[in-house]
Amino acid sequence: MRTVEFQNNALRLIDQTVLPGELRVIECRTPGEVRDAIRTMKVRGAPAIGAAAAYGMALAAQALAAGALPDALATLRAAGDDLKSARPTAVNLAWAVDRMLRAADATAGQANGVDALAGALLAEADAIAEEDVATNRQIGAYGNTLIPRGASILTHCNTGSLATVEYGTALGVIRAAHGDRKEIHVFVDETRPFLQGARLTAWELDREGIPQTLISDNMAGHFMRRGAVDLAIVGADRITANGDVANKIGTYTLAVLCKEHGLPFYVAAPTSTVDLALANGDDITIEERSSDEVTQIAGMRIAPAGVRAAHPAFDVTPHRLVTAIITEQGVLRPPFEPALQAAVAAAEAARQTSASGNEETRVRA
Ligand code: MRU
């Protein structure tokens, strides 16, 4: 099944906090439940939380009481602010909510009632989810061109089906290379402290039969120095206008290691992860999560009681350490600023064309 799916007026999510022990599906029936699922990381990964938030907005629209449209729009804006507050770093969350609000404004502008609003918002959330799947496959195809036959690839965190609606970004590239029978091997960083690599990426690769070796994060340098790694590929939570990349804590260290060892460091992400409003990575809000996630593993305390622990959930990799950014619009090389601007513009144009095509089909029908 998909990680994020809407069925029978409910958002169905794979609960990523109990994997790999259990494959459990949870249902959210209110925007508040969606916000909580994002906050507690039952659903996680930038594109997946974007799609989940879009369905959260669709649920908010379904709950609107018949009445004045300005009130309905104000209710939706409040629901959007609440969803956005769940996690601050991945821009896909705000991107999806803002896109849903634009769809609401456009529908309300045609003097439609709340039923039409609910229908339009569910259609927009479905479009976001479908686009994510198509986008990931495109990223996989472009990224595959960069993967040599027999490559040993290091990846961090989880960027697969679980982090998206389906298929994955960096893991989508790995999936595409494996599908192309390139006989690749993957080093999976366990990704302390929440262990998205050990719990989720290892689970996904295992299901796909992709050869892997799980390592703790501090082993990456050792294997690079031995010549066991050919390249690193990671996802992103936010890419600023100059190409700086916020991603799971530990990514920056990997990029520095790649530089030291002369290895390519690739970032795979959809254009919905690009935030042209921020000039550089210093402006990105880094989520601080509970120190319990550092002092405990799977609920068991591993540090002395009361010890102070820091937990920035993300770090920023400066653009100069990034070899290329793989998007659904192609492989972008430095200088990233103009390349990112062009990619975002092309993605927006493609969306407009597809939306007007759908509109035309509806009119003809
Ligand atoms: O805290 P998480 O697990 O949501 O962090 C996820 C990551 O950092 C991923 O690398 C990123 O969202 C890209 S997912 C395709």
Side-chain angles (χ1 to χ4, degrees):
M1 71 164 278
R2 289 183 172 189
T3 302
V4 176
E5 205 168 39
F6 198 82
Q7 264 179 21
N8 303 327
N9 296 325
L11 173 61
R12 289 164 58 83
L13 301 168
I14 294 180
D15 181 348
Q16 301 190 35
T17 59
V18 295
L19 279 170
E22 191 187 337
L23 180 54
R24 184 191 298 167
V25 174
I26 55 164
E27 288 193 347
C28 301
R29 293 185 180 275
T30 66
E33 287 176 1
V34 177
R35 175 207 57 219
D36 289 346
I38 295 172
R39 189 169 284 159
T40 55
M41 292 174 67
K42 288 187 165 65
V43 60
R44 48 142 299 281
I49 62 178
Y55 283 115
M57 293 297 289
L59 286 167
Q62 287 185 356
L64 289 170
L69 275 174
D71 293 345
L73 291 175
T75 303
L76 289 176
R77 272 192 288 276
D81 287 343
D82 191 45
L83 282 159
K84 282 185 192 176
S85 75
R87 294 192 76 189
T89 304
V91 74
N92 303 61
L93 177 54
W95 174 87
V97 167
D98 289 341
R99 183 167 155 182
M100 294 295 286
L101 288 172
R102 281 197 300 277
D105 284 341
T107 310
Q110 292 159 4
N112 286 312
V114 289
D115 285 348
L117 211 48
L121 261 58
L122 185 54
E124 191 70 2
D126 284 340
I128 287 174
E130 290 308 322
E131 272 174 37
D132 184 60
V133 178
T135 291
N136 291 334
R137 289 194 178 267
Q138 201 58 59
I139 290 172
Y142 282 124
N144 185 23
T145 64
L146 302 172
I147 309 292
R149 191 161 294 282
S152 185
I153 304 168
L154 196 145
T155 193
H156 192 65
C157 196
N158 172 267
T159 59
S161 278
L162 292 167
T164 58
V165 175
E166 196 183 80
Y167 202 71
T169 56
L171 217 60
V173 173
I174 289 170
R175 213 180 280 275
H178 176 72
D180 209 7
R181 299 180 197 283
K182 282 192 170 166
E183 299 187 350
I184 54 166
H185 167 267
V186 184
F187 278 105
V188 178
D189 266 3
E190 67 173 351
T191 318
R192 271 283 285 154
F194 210 60
L195 303 176
Q196 290 94 327
R199 294 188 302 106
L200 308 175
T201 300
W203 181 77
E204 285 199 47
L205 292 177
D206 193 44
R207 280 165 63 104
E208 294 284 325
I210 302 177
Q212 61 172 315
T213 304
L214 177 64
I215 59 172
S216 59
D217 300 348
N218 54 359
M219 294 177 189
H222 167 78
F223 284 108
M224 286 183 187
R225 210 170 100 78
R226 286 192 154 190
V229 176
D230 296 310
L231 61 101
I233 181 163
V234 300
D237 285 82
R238 195 182 290 240
I239 301 173
T240 54
N242 67 342
D244 290 352
V245 175
N247 191 49
K248 180 52 53 194
I249 192 76
T251 302
Y252 171 52
T253 315
L254 263 190
V256 173
L257 280 170
C258 282
K259 173 95 176 159
E260 168 66 17
H261 294 92
L263 301 175
F265 179 80
Y266 296 123
V267 174
T271 52
S272 53
T273 302
V274 179
D275 184 357
L276 293 176
L278 295 189
N280 64 62
D282 296 342
D283 298 336
I284 299 174
T285 304
I286 299 294
E287 178 183 7
E288 286 285 339
R289 292 189 64 83
S290 164
S291 60
D292 289 353
E293 291 175 4
V294 177
T295 57
Q296 301 176 7
I297 292 185
M300 197 181 86
R301 189 154 52 76
I302 55 164
V307 80
R308 187 156 36 145
H311 187 187
F314 301 93
D315 59 25
V316 174
T317 299
H319 61 91
R320 65 189 159 75
L321 297 177
V322 177
T323 310
I325 301 174
I326 307 156
T327 73
E328 77 276 18
Q329 297 298 327
V331 176
L332 315 183
R333 303 267 181 186
F336 288 122
E337 189 134 12
L340 286 166
Q341 277 172 10
V344 168
E348 192 46 46
R351 240 172 253 129
Q352 302 285 353
T353 310
S354 144
S356 58
N358 290 345
E359 189 59 35
E360 211 170 281
T361 314
R362 271 198 294 278
V363 170
R364 272 202 236 108

